[in-house]
Amino acid sequence: KDPLGKVELSKLRPMHLAGWKKRVLALGGARGSFNRDATSLRAALNLARRRLEVASDLAWRNELKPFENADGRRTLYLKRDERRRLLENASVEARPFFTTLALLPMRPGDVPKLRVEDLDVNHKMLRVHVGKGKPPRQIPLPGEAFAHFKECAKGKLPGAWLVSRADGGQWRKEAWRDEIKLAAAGAKLPK
């Protein structure tokens, strides 16, 4: 949806990427988030240059340079009351996703990857896949968490997304990101 997407590759100039960078940061994006997004964009543009689809990297060479020291760990922690208010202000569709984050030590990007078959009902464990070539983590589920995931799995096939959208589809980063921003604003939580 960004205007950058409408610029023809051969007509790409530094001002286009400077504008994109400014818009990304103006939308409340952290410098670390910009670095991650810019890395993907830079890789795609460099591939286009190697394929001779564009003559030079002048348009992005400087504008997509990563911010230094921008990937520090986030230290914001929501207290129990703040988590409760976040859940109360979440949409019905997003509430299971946010409940998962409130109950277990998981990254938001790991939740959409969970499938029903990752829930071991007999041993009350959840298998979380952490990356290529790494064995999955096994997380023991206390009572409330186990009940939550059992409810999420109800009526679904083993290959279905465990914590899914209302239509059964997988959560995408942009969707849960927007939902959490709305819920946080409604709960009057820190940006």
Side-chain angles (χ1 to χ4, degrees):
K1 295 179 183 178
D2 188 87
L4 181 64
K6 295 182 174 97
V7 178
E8 197 173 312
L9 187 58
S10 64
K11 296 180 181 176
L12 191 63
R13 303 287 176 262
M15 66 177 198
H16 296 117
L17 291 155
W20 176 74
K21 181 178 189 177
K22 186 176 180 180
R23 289 186 296 275
V24 167
L25 294 172
L27 287 172
R31 289 176 170 220
S33 294
F34 170 80
N35 283 354
R36 287 184 289 279
D37 292 342
T39 296
S40 299
L41 179 56
R42 193 173 41 252
L45 292 170
N46 285 333
L47 177 62
R49 186 176 55 91
R50 283 193 305 278
R51 290 181 174 170
L52 304 176
E53 294 170 16
V54 64
S56 161
D57 67 351
L58 180 64
W60 63 89
R61 185 182 315 151
N62 291 318
E63 296 303 332
L64 294 183
K65 279 188 178 175
F67 288 105
E68 291 186 24
N69 301 319
D71 288 322
R73 203 167 242 260
R74 295 180 188 132
T75 56
L76 176 66
Y77 180 80
L78 298 180
K79 296 178 181 131
R80 183 181 297 261
D81 180 60
E82 293 171 321
R83 292 192 307 266
R84 181 188 49 73
R85 289 195 338 254
L86 182 72
L87 288 171
E88 288 171 355
N89 284 275
S91 68
V92 172
E93 180 179 39
R95 203 164 289 141
F97 189 94
F98 298 163
T99 300
T100 299
L101 296 175
L103 290 171
L104 295 179
M106 293 182 68
R107 295 175 148 208
D110 290 339
V111 176
K113 298 173 189 169
L114 296 171
R115 295 193 181 266
V116 172
E117 63 196 6
D118 293 323
L119 178 62
D120 182 346
V121 178
N122 295 327
H123 298 99
K124 296 185 179 180
M125 301 281 279
L126 184 67
R127 186 175 40 251
V128 179
H129 303 275
V130 290
K132 295 178 183 172
K134 294 181 182 177
R137 283 191 303 163
Q138 296 284 340
I139 299 177
L141 299 173
E144 186 181 354
F146 180 65
H148 166 67
F149 285 112
K150 232 176 131 179
E151 183 62 30
C152 288
K154 190 167 32 173
K156 294 180 181 176
L157 295 171
W161 303 116
L162 180 59
V163 182
S164 62
R165 306 281 314 255
D167 65 0
Q170 185 181 30
W171 278 97
R172 300 280 181 222
K173 179 180 103 175
E174 297 76 17
W176 61 256
R177 177 200 62 201
D178 294 347
E179 288 276 355
I180 207 159
K181 283 181 182 179
L182 290 170
K188 296 179 177 41
L189 295 175
K191 192 174 183 181

